[in-house]
Structures are given as structure tokens and as C-alpha cells.
Amino acid sequence: MSEEKTILSIQSHVTHGYVGNKAASFPLQLHGFDVDGVNTVSLSNHSGYPIIRGHRMDLQEYETLMEGMRANNFLPSYRYIITGYINNADIVRSIRDTVKEIRTLREKEGKKLTFFCDPVMGDDGVMYCKQEVLEAYRELIQCADVATPNYYEASLLSGVNVTDMTTALQAADWFHAQGTQNVIIKSFRMKEDPQNLHFLFSTMAAGGKTPQRFTGVVPYHEGRYTGTGDLFAASLLAFSHQHPMEVAVGIAMGVLQDVILATRNEGGDGTSSLMNRELRVTKSVQSLLNPATVAEVKPM
Ligand code: ADP
Ligand code: CA
Ligand code: CA
């Protein structure tokens, strides 16, 4: 096997709509990846809707699954791990052990593991996980190769309130200090430029002293979309498999712009119902593979 396109994807499952594994699996499968999903929750819909019903995994259930995977010797087969919504501090801590276990197993075979950690904890000033989950993430982030927080999660984790480029850079430095090589603060709005969303990609070579920084913008579309970060992280993983990370960042930004525009063109503008604003993931096959838009990613 010349290239391993295998992923352990630990995220939420929703019956209706596109967040978590529902937003990530289809794009990754289109790119030819085998996506082995662990569903941390199995819910009727995302938490923006007034009613949610379903099941949340507990530590025992997570460990039982891993036991089966270990017993069948599946664990060393994963080239990538990606994590999203978890909201259980015990499971976040246990994932750290999973990452270490898989990394050790693969190192013995001279193989790499790349861990994409999307620390799903909240958005736009609202924290939707428990404080203990935040603390557990501070530890999980130490074994992440790539972290993709939104600006609010970057603020929660680093303790630096991200409001502009200066503070975004400070927050990124916190991640590097924890040992995370690549950090993407996916979007933040700046007072002087309200029509755009700015992003920051900061990368620090192993053992390096000064990080390399890249930035760019995408047009801001009025309104709030759910699952954008999940689709971004999945797309970033897919494109980084064949491109340098800074190139992958620009293409993944393009995927999001295309998919958000497709969603808006089909009645999902910022004022429409939550149901209408579900990302048009399955209707955007071309965009997922080769987006019409690609964001320019400029060195700073
Ligand atoms: P999260 O969904 O995790 O909160 P972001 O809000 O930063 O993360 O969204 C992830 C990506 O989706 C952004 O980098 C941007 O490309 C795109 N995006 C999200 N919301 C919008 C929006 N309202 N207008 C334009 N792009 C958006
Ligand atoms: Ca957001
Ligand atoms: Ca998110």
C-alpha cells in the first residue's frame, strides 16, 4: 500500500443535519479515505435546535469500543486521528491515551500518525461544554499535530481574548508552547474590516524557535452556520494529505465559502430557519473536491 488513507474520526453523530461525523465523513470518503467513526453522541440534531433527544457516550462505552478495536488489531492501521465534539472530560482524557497508544504502535512499524484536534467547546462567547472539559482539552492539545479552534475556543484555551491579529498571534503562541505544531484560528472579525473574516495559520517546526505565520481573509456572510468548523477540519485533513499545510488551509477555506454560498442559494441565508441553514454537504460534491474559490494564504 503506497499511501494510507485511513482515519479514526471521533465526533458527534446527528440523525438530521450536517455537523460532526455527518459533516466530515462524506467529504473525506469522497477524497478516498476510509473513515472509521466513533460517535461520541448520537442525537436527533445539533444543539442549536430547541429540542434535542438521544444518547451520549460515557467513558465505559468509549473504552469498550477501543477494547474491540485493540483486540482486532485495528488501532495501528490509522494514518490520522481527527476529533470533534466530545463534551466529556473522561473521554477527552482517554483519547489522549488512544493517541499515544496508536502513535507508539505505528512508530514500531516506522509509520506516522497525524492528530487533528478540533477542540469543540463553544462559539461566539457561549461555552457549551463543562469547565472540566476545557481543562482536559488543555492536556489533549499537547499531543495534537494540528489544532483548529475557532476564535472563541482559542481564547478559552489560551486565556488570551482573541479580538484582532495581535491577540490571535498571542493565542497561537500558547498552542505552540503546549507542543502543537500547527494552529489554525479559523476566523475572527476585525473592527476595521467588518465585511471579511480573517484567519491565522501559525506553524512551528519541531524544535523550532520562531513560528511561521500566514493569514488571509474570506468574505463574511451575514448569519450563523453550524458544522462549518467540522467541515473545515475534515477538508483541511483531506487537502493536507497531498499539499503543504498552508496550501491546504487556503483550499479548505474555499470549500467552506463554496458550501456556504450553495446553502444560501438554496434558501439558507442568515435569516432563514435552522433547518434551511444546514450546510448543503451532499449537494456540493465538486466544491468538496475542487472548490471554485481558494483563499489566498499570505506569509506575514
Ligand atoms: P466554527 O464553526 O468551529 O465556530 P468558524 O466559525 O471559524 O468555526 O467557521 C469555520 C470556517 O467556516 C471559517 O474559517 C470560514 O471559512 C467559514 N465560515 C463560517 N461562518 C462563516 C460566515 N458567516 N461567513 C463566511 N464564512 C464563514
Ligand atoms: Ca463559529
Ligand atoms: Ca467548531
Side-chain angles (χ1 to χ4, degrees):
M1 205 166 47
S2 60
E3 52 166 0
E4 291 177 292
K5 298 182 81 168
T6 47
I7 307 177
L8 180 63
S9 179
I10 306 173
Q11 308 200 39
S12 62
H13 170 75
V14 289
T15 300
H16 182 81
Y18 292 93
V19 299
N21 270 330
K22 278 282 294 289
S25 295
F26 178 70
L28 287 165
Q29 287 168 337
L30 273 183
H31 281 272
F33 287 91
D34 288 312
V35 184
D36 287 8
V38 172
N39 296 329
T40 52
V41 297
S42 185
L43 301 173
S44 50
N45 43 262
H46 73 64
S47 63
Y49 291 91
I51 292 167
I52 319 169
R53 291 290 183 272
H55 171 82
R56 289 169 187 274
M57 189 178 250
D58 61 16
L59 178 64
Q60 199 198 337
E61 202 180 330
Y62 177 78
E63 287 185 336
T64 301
L65 260 186
M66 284 304 137
E67 200 181 292
M69 312 256 292
R70 187 178 299 115
N72 284 310
N73 204 30
F74 298 147
L75 294 179
S77 72
Y78 297 113
R79 171 68 186 81
Y80 297 98
I81 300 176
I82 185 167
T83 61
Y85 183 88
I86 304 163
N87 200 12
N88 177 312
D90 293 330
I91 295 178
V92 173
R93 280 190 285 266
S94 189
I95 290 172
R96 201 179 165 203
D97 297 335
T98 304
V99 173
K100 285 183 179 165
E101 181 176 357
I102 296 180
R103 192 159 268 157
T104 307
L105 287 168
R106 287 180 64 83
E107 272 167 7
K108 281 187 201 144
E109 301 176 9
K111 289 178 178 167
K112 237 178 114 171
L113 168 73
T114 304
F115 172 30
F116 284 70
C117 182
D118 187 25
V120 178
M121 294 187 297
D123 203 1
D124 294 333
V126 181
M127 187 163 153
Y128 42 65
C129 73
K130 288 162 261 169
Q131 181 67 30
E132 59 178 25
V133 173
L134 166 58
E135 324 258 290
Y137 264 116
R138 288 210 175 102
E139 286 174 27
L140 183 61
I141 221 76
Q142 295 169 3
C143 63
D145 300 288
V146 185
T148 53
N150 63 31
Y151 78 93
Y152 178 63
E153 290 152 349
S155 306
L156 286 175
L157 284 164
S158 69
V160 179
N161 191 17
V162 175
T163 55
D164 55 15
M165 188 54 76
T166 310
T167 44
L169 290 168
Q170 286 168 4
D173 283 341
W174 178 86
F175 284 81
H176 293 316
Q178 311 309 302
T180 313
Q181 187 182 338
N182 300 289
V183 190
I184 297 101
I185 302 181
K186 291 172 290 191
S187 71
F188 48 95
R189 294 183 81 184
M190 302 214 288
K191 270 199 201 76
E192 60 274 25
D193 187 19
Q195 70 273 36
N196 283 320
L197 291 172
H198 292 244
F199 60 82
L200 170 67
F201 165 46
S202 183
T203 180
M204 176 90 105
K209 287 206 174 67
T210 42
Q212 259 187 296
R213 324 279 209 178
F214 300 84
T215 188
V217 297
V218 293
Y220 172 67
H221 303 294
E222 195 64 47
R224 195 167 288 176
Y225 292 88
T226 311
T228 47
D230 308 330
L231 178 57
F232 177 83
S235 301
L236 183 69
L237 187 164
F239 290 107
S240 71
H241 187 73
Q242 9 166 207
H243 299 286
M245 194 62 76
E246 67 274 18
V247 176
V249 168
I251 308 174
M253 288 288 164
V255 168
L256 265 295
Q257 292 310 293
D258 272 25
V259 173
I260 290 172
L261 283 175
T263 304
R264 295 170 80 82
N265 287 337
E266 285 192 28
D269 69 32
T271 58
S272 66
S273 70
L274 280 174
M275 225 173 128
N276 277 327
R277 265 180 284 149
E278 290 284 358
L279 294 178
R280 300 307 194 269
V281 174
T282 56
K283 302 208 172 49
S284 306
V285 169
Q286 266 322 306
S287 300
L288 297 174
L289 292 173
N290 188 13
T293 330
V294 171
E296 197 186 338
V297 182
K298 292 178 230 158
M300 293 176 72

